[in-house]
Amino acid sequence: MDVSHLLDNLNDNQRQAVTAPAAHRLVLAGAGSGKTSVLTRRIGWLIQVEQASVHSILAVTFTNKAAAEMRQRIEPMLGYPIGAMWVGTFHGIAHRLLRMHWEEAGLPRNFQILDSDDQKRLVRRVIQSLELDEKRWPPKLAQWYINGHKEEGRRSHHVAPPQDPQNQGLLQIYKQYEETVERLGVVDFAELLLRAHELVRDNPELQQHYQRRFQHILVDEFQDTNSLQYAWIRVLAGDRSKVFVVGDDDQSIYGWRGAKIENIQNFNRDFDGAETIRLEQNYRSTGNILNAANAVISRNSGRLGKELWTDSGDGEAIDLYAAWNEQDEAQFVVDRIKAWVETGGRRDEVAILYRSNAQSRVFEERLIAAAVPYRVYGGHRFFERQEIKDALAYLRLIENDQDDTAFERVVNLPARGIGNSSLEKLRAAGRAHSCSLWRAVAVCAENNLLAARANTALAAFVGLIASLRDACHGLPLHEQVEHVIEKSGLLTHYQNEKGDKAEARVENLKELVSAARNFDPDEDVVAERPEGMTPLAEFLSHAALEAGEQQGGQWEDCVQMMTLHSAKGLEFPLVFLVGLEEGLFPHQNSMQDAGGLEEERRLAYVGMTRSMQKLVLSHAESRRLYGKESPGIPSRFIDEVPAELMQEIRPRAQVSQPLYRPSQARGRSLEDNTAFGGIALGKMVSHAKFGDGIVMALEGSGPNARVQVNFNDVGNKWLVMQYANLTEL
DNA sequence: TCTCTTACGTTTTTT
DNA sequence: ACGTAAGAGA
C-alpha cells in the first residue's frame, strides 16, 4: 500500500513521531509545530502500516472541537468512515463506557448528566438541607471542594476526618451530596471520569477486555490532564497497550482547575521505555516572535526543554505601546486595526488578547465608535442558556421524574402558584421519606401537609408532566421537543415576557426544535450503541456534554477578541497582547507563589505564539478597573523580551502628562452640601424611634437629601434628612 | 407574587 | 463600575 501521503511534507522529527516503532512515546510539540497533523498521521500509520485495527485505537482529546477535527482529518486520510474507532473527549469516552456498563458501574440505566450550573444548584440545596450557613459554606466553594476530591480520585469516605469546623462542614456536604446524586440518578462531570475509572479498575473482566482491546492509546494536550485522567489512562493501558501522548509543558495553563503539569514531566518515569520526541520547528510565527517567546519562557524552571525556531526569517519587530490609560490603549489598537484593514488586511486576521474578560469592554466601545465589526469569545453557549435549560428540565423530567434538579427548576415556571413556602414543605417531606420531590407530592397529598391550593397546583404539575410524557411517546424527537415547549407553557411564558432579551429567548426555544431535528445520534455513537437508550436520553446527554457553539452566524470578517486562555490553539496574523501590567498580567492572585507566576508566564508564551506576522504589546500607565483608577507598572513579561526585538511606539515615561485624563469620578462633594448639616460618614447619630446608629451613606441634595444609618437595634435604614430629625452624638 | 432594593463579587474554562 | 442574584416589602 502506498503510504507516502502519510509522510508528505513532514520534517525529520515529525516523521520520526509518525513512524516510531510501537513503544510509549511522548511528543513534545511546541506551539505551531504541526502537532495535530502528527497525531492524525500517526493514527493513519498505525492502521495502514502497522495493520492496527480501527477497533484497537483510542484517541482522547479535551474538547469536542479537537475530537471533531481529528475525526474529520482521519476519515479522508483513510478514505472510509471510522465509526468503530473511539475518538472523543475524556468525558465523552467515560460517558460511553458508563452507558455500556451502567449496571456494573452501579448506575440506573437512564442516568442523566449534570452540568456545572446544575451541580452548583444541587450543592446549594444540599447545604440548605443540612441547615448550614451559605455565607460560611458558599455553594461555589463546596462545589470546588467536591470536584477537587473527585479529580484526585477520592470519595468522601477516603477523606481523612478534618479537625476544623470549616472542613468538617465541607466533608458533610460532600457526603450528603453523594447520597443525593445517587438517589436522583444523575452524574456530574467529575463523576463521569471517576466512575469510569473505578469501573475499569475494579472490574477484572472489563479491565482485561479493554486492556486487550485498546492496543494504542493516543492523548492530545497531555499537559492538561488531571490526576484522575492520568490514572484512567494508566489503567486502560495496562502493561500491553502503547501510549502515544502529545503535549507541551510550556503551554500548561490549567493548573488552577486541577491539571497536573507533573503528568507530562513524569511520563517517562511512569511509562516504561518511553521515548521523547521534540517538535521544535515552528511553521506559524516569524523569528522575532519566536525569539521573544523563547526568551520569556526560558525564565521558567523545571521545563522539559524546547526551543522554537523557524527558517522563514525574522519578520517585523514587535511593537510596544505605552498607553496613558486603558482608553488610550484601546484607541491605539483600534487605529492600528483600521490601518491594517486599509492596507488590505482582513479583520478576522486580527485578535485582541487579554488576561481577563473585564478588559474587553473598553475595546468594544472603541470598536463600536469606529464602526469596526468584532466578535467576543466566551459567555453562555447554546445549551447553557436559561430558556434552553428550562426546556431541557421538562424533557429531563419526562425521562426521569426522580430528577429533583429538573423538578425544582420548572415546578413553578411558568408560575403556577407553587411558592417557596409550599416548596419548602415539599422538600421537608422528601427529606423525611428520603424520596424525590416527585414522590413527595403524593406523600404531601395523602397526609394533608400542604394548603389545598398548593396541593391542587402540584397535582396539576405532576399531571402535566405525565401527560407530556404520554403525548411524546412514539413521536420523533423534534416533535417531542416542540410539544413540550408549547404544552408546558414555556413558550407562552417567554412570549409574554417583556424586554429585549425575551425575543431572543423565544428564538432560541425554536432553535432548540431545529437542534433536535438535526440531531443525529448515529453520528455520535459507534457500533456498540448502548442498548435501551431513547433518542431523547441521547439528546439530553449530548446537550450536557457538548454545550454547543457560542453563537452562530457572526463569523464573517470580524475582529476576534478573547482571553489568553481561549486563544490557545488558535493563530492570527496580527495579535494585540494588551494590558501588560503587574497585577493584571501577571494577575495579582497568581503573583504570590512561584508556581502561579510560572503559569502566568506560560500564558504569556501562549499569547505571543498565537501571532503569525505581527505582535503588538501594550500596557497602560494608569487604568480604571472595577471602578477604581490605579497606576500601572509595566509587566515583568515586557522586560523579559529582549529589547532589540522590540520597537517602542511611544517611549515609556517620556512625558508625564496624560492625553486622556482619567474621567473624574462623579462623586458628590459633600462639603458644599448644606442639606446634611453636621452629619457625615461614620458619625454616630440618634433617632427618636430607631435609637442610635452610625451613618453609612449620604445621597441627594436639598429636599431629596437622604442618609443611610445602620442602627444598633433595627439595622440599616434610609431616611430623608428633612424628616429624620437626627441628632449628632 | 411581583418589584424594588441591597449585597456581593470581580482570573482564567471545559466537560 | 456594574451586573446579578437573593431578600424584603407592597
Side-chain angles (χ1 to χ4, degrees):
Chain A
M1 173 156 207
D2 178 26
V3 292
S4 60
H5 66 280
L6 293 173
L7 304 174
D8 280 350
N9 304 316
L10 294 186
N11 65 38
D12 287 348
N13 290 354
Q14 291 173 326
R15 189 176 303 223
Q16 195 195 340
V18 169
T19 63
H24 299 312
R25 305 283 162 186
L26 166 60
V27 179
L28 273 186
S33 63
K35 104 194 148 141
T36 309
S37 184
V38 164
L39 204 45
T40 50
R41 290 185 197 212
R42 171 68 177 177
I43 292 173
W45 179 268
L46 289 173
I47 293 169
Q48 298 189 327
V49 179
E50 304 281 335
Q51 304 294 313
S53 134
V54 275
H55 217 240
S56 72
I57 293 175
L58 170 65
V60 201
T61 64
F62 273 84
T63 64
N64 291 300
K65 199 175 151 201
E69 191 188 342
M70 201 182 294
R71 204 170 261 282
Q72 268 163 27
R73 284 171 69 159
I74 295 171
E75 292 194 342
M77 188 171 65
L78 297 179
Y80 53 84
I82 47 163
M85 190 189 299
W86 283 33
V87 179
T89 62
F90 277 98
H91 292 83
I93 305 269
H95 174 240
R96 182 180 296 173
L97 283 170
L98 295 177
R99 285 287 175 208
M100 288 170 58
H101 308 291
W102 54 273
E103 227 165 350
E104 296 93 321
L107 288 169
R109 177 193 286 259
N110 61 348
F111 73 87
Q112 278 300 319
I113 302 168
L114 294 184
D115 70 14
S116 31
D117 183 60
D118 298 329
Q119 187 192 28
K120 192 157 93 204
R121 287 163 187 263
L122 187 58
V123 167
R124 181 134 179 275
R125 287 250 29 90
V126 166
I127 294 170
Q128 287 168 349
S129 78
L130 290 170
E131 294 182 325
L132 292 171
D133 181 6
E134 280 183 70
K135 294 270 155 54
R136 198 157 160 211
W137 289 275
K140 228 174 137 179
L141 174 72
Q143 183 185 26
W144 179 82
Y145 175 91
I146 292 169
N147 290 337
H149 279 303
K150 286 192 180 190
E151 279 160 15
E152 293 294 323
R154 286 191 293 270
R155 297 279 177 198
S156 65
H157 62 266
H158 296 127
V159 183
Q163 296 311 307
D164 59 306
Q166 174 75 16
N167 280 307
Q168 282 168 351
L170 286 171
L171 185 55
Q172 193 188 0
I173 295 165
Y174 186 11
K175 286 207 157 89
Q176 184 68 41
Y177 173 81
E178 266 177 347
E179 273 173 40
T180 311
V181 136
E182 183 84 19
R183 181 162 50 74
L184 308 190
V186 293
V187 163
D188 61 54
F189 286 136
E191 183 72 22
L192 286 171
L193 298 175
L194 179 51
R195 235 187 240 240
H197 176 238
E198 291 170 345
L199 174 74
V200 181
R201 187 194 59 191
D202 302 338
N203 188 316
E205 273 171 46
L206 282 177
Q207 186 181 111
Q208 203 180 31
H209 170 77
Y210 284 107
Q211 287 182 352
R212 284 212 179 131
R213 171 177 174 163
F214 295 127
Q215 300 290 306
H216 302 281
I217 299 177
L218 300 96
V219 188
D220 191 17
E221 304 276 22
F222 193 70
Q223 75 283 354
D224 290 336
T225 47
N226 62 33
S227 306
L228 185 53
Q229 288 160 335
Y230 191 72
W232 189 69
I233 300 271
R234 286 188 76 173
V235 72
L236 273 183
D239 39 39
R240 316 169 53 145
S241 311
K242 300 305 173 218
V243 181
F244 185 97
V245 306
V246 181
D248 180 358
D249 54 328
D250 292 334
Q251 292 189 73
S252 160
I253 55 174
Y254 287 111
W256 52 273
R257 66 177 195 208
K260 290 276 185 300
I261 194 170
E262 298 90 327
N263 290 350
I264 195 167
Q265 290 165 342
N266 296 340
F267 183 81
N268 291 352
R269 189 197 65 197
D270 292 347
F271 287 84
D272 271 353
E275 198 179 299
T276 304
I277 299 167
R278 286 182 165 71
L279 304 182
E280 296 172 291
Q281 183 173 3
N282 174 290
Y283 298 94
R284 176 188 292 155
S285 313
T286 65
N288 281 339
I289 292 168
L290 294 180
N291 290 338
N294 282 333
V296 170
I297 200 67
S298 73
R299 308 256 176 165
N300 272 7
S301 60
R303 296 173 62 220
L304 291 170
K306 199 165 33 49
E307 193 145 313
L308 296 177
W309 60 276
T310 179
D311 59 12
S312 67
D314 287 347
E316 286 183 53
I318 293 163
D319 285 349
L320 173 65
Y321 183 72
W324 301 121
N325 56 31
E326 78 284 349
Q327 297 291 337
D328 180 29
E329 180 183 49
Q331 192 56 54
F332 168 77
V333 169
V334 171
D335 290 343
R336 276 296 189 90
I337 293 173
K338 288 205 308 214
W340 172 268
V341 173
E342 273 159 27
T343 52
R346 292 170 54 86
R347 286 183 288 265
D348 59 6
E349 292 169 336
V350 184
I352 305 173
L353 308 182
Y354 36 77
R355 176 66 236 265
S356 65
N357 288 304
Q359 288 168 259
S360 74
R361 248 192 53 196
V362 190
F363 291 95
E364 290 188 67
E365 285 163 7
R366 294 279 164 168
L367 285 165
I368 289 170
V372 179
Y374 64 88
R375 179 170 109 102
V376 184
Y377 279 62
H380 275 213
R381 274 117 28 106
F382 185 74
F383 286 112
E384 292 168 352
R385 287 161 206 248
Q386 179 190 310
E387 61 279 11
I388 299 301
K389 296 215 67 170
D390 294 340
L392 293 177
Y394 275 104
L395 293 165
R396 270 162 59 167
L397 274 181
I398 289 175
E399 190 63 29
N400 168 19
D401 50 34
Q402 303 298 298
D403 187 345
D404 288 359
T405 54
F407 188 102
E408 291 231 11
R409 183 164 188 119
V410 291
V411 65
N412 201 32
L413 187 95
R416 12 180 110 80
I418 302 164
N420 211 349
S421 57
S422 315
L423 249 181
E424 198 39 67
K425 284 177 198 153
L426 195 64
R427 289 184 195 125
R431 237 171 287 149
H433 295 76
S434 336
C435 70
S436 62
L437 295 172
W438 179 267
R439 291 207 183 115
V441 173
V443 171
C444 286
E446 279 162 29
N447 303 307
N448 263 331
L449 296 173
L450 290 169
R453 235 189 334 167
N455 239 332
T456 323
L458 277 168
F461 176 70
V462 167
L464 170 69
I465 299 297
S467 78
L468 289 174
R469 184 183 294 144
D470 287 344
C472 285
H473 191 78
L475 286 184
L477 180 61
H478 73 273
E479 285 179 31
Q480 294 185 31
V481 175
E482 192 166 27
H483 184 87
V484 165
I485 289 173
E486 277 172 20
K487 293 295 172 352
S488 63
L490 253 192
L491 190 63
T492 325
H493 172 254
Y494 281 114
Q495 276 165 343
N496 294 339
E497 203 188 52
K498 44 198 186 298
D500 39 353
K501 275 190 196 155
E503 211 175 313
R505 294 211 156 121
V506 173
E507 284 307 305
N508 284 333
L509 284 173
K510 290 180 177 159
E511 186 59 36
L512 183 64
V513 179
S514 311
R517 189 184 285 114
N518 298 331
F519 177 65
D520 177 12
D522 288 336
E523 176 194 317
D524 237 44
V525 177
V526 285
E528 313 106 308
R529 159 189 292 275
E531 74 342 322
M533 256 188 108
T534 63
L536 176 57
E538 282 190 50
F539 183 62
L540 291 171
S541 299
H542 168 84
L545 281 175
E546 197 162 345
E549 273 301 321
Q550 332 258 351
Q551 61 244 26
Q554 295 174 41
W555 289 90
E556 85 301 342
D557 205 14
C558 288
V559 171
Q560 311 288 304
M561 296 172 57
M562 68 195 83
T563 62
L564 288 157
H565 284 88
S566 13
K568 194 169 84 158
L570 305 177
E571 60 181 25
F572 307 92
L574 172 59
V575 168
F576 295 92
L577 192 45
V578 303
L580 283 159
E581 292 134 50
E582 291 286 298
L584 189 59
F585 186 32
H587 195 274
Q588 192 63 47
N589 303 359
S590 306
M591 281 166 66
Q592 320 308 331
D593 65 299
L597 191 59
E598 295 209 337
E599 184 153 310
E600 295 286 304
R601 188 174 283 112
R602 292 193 289 269
L603 203 49
Y605 175 79
V606 167
M608 296 171 78
T609 52
R610 296 312 96 197
S611 173
M612 300 161 79
Q613 286 174 34
K614 179 80 186 178
L615 176 61
V616 182
L617 310 176
S618 67
H619 67 94
E621 315 228 310
S622 168
R623 178 176 299 271
R624 172 172 283 267
L625 197 63
Y626 301 133
K628 272 208 273 300
E629 183 91 29
S630 47
I633 299 158
S635 167
R636 66 192 72 193
F637 301 145
I638 293 176
D639 299 326
E640 292 171 6
V641 175
E644 65 272 18
L645 300 176
M646 276 190 306
Q647 169 184 318
E648 293 191 38
I649 302 305
R650 178 195 284 155
R652 286 189 258 167
Q654 179 200 25
V655 194
S656 58
Q657 205 45 243
L659 278 182
Y660 300 90
R661 279 183 180 281
S663 53
Q664 286 289 322
R666 274 186 286 139
R668 315 134 197 113
S669 95
L670 298 172
E671 293 84 336
D672 57 24
N673 195 329
T674 51
F676 294 103
I679 310 267
L681 285 180
K683 288 227 165 143
M684 290 293 295
V685 291
S686 178
H687 183 269
K689 195 166 145 207
F690 300 129
D692 299 346
I694 187 165
V695 177
M696 304 300 289
L698 304 162
E699 199 178 278
S701 60
N704 295 319
R706 299 193 310 146
V707 56
Q708 187 189 37
V709 183
N710 189 359
F711 290 102
N712 299 335
D713 300 331
V714 294
N716 268 329
K717 294 273 178 209
W718 277 102
L719 305 167
V720 177
M721 277 307 291
Q722 214 176 343
Y723 308 114
N725 266 327
L726 294 172
T727 44
E728 237 182 291
L729 292 177

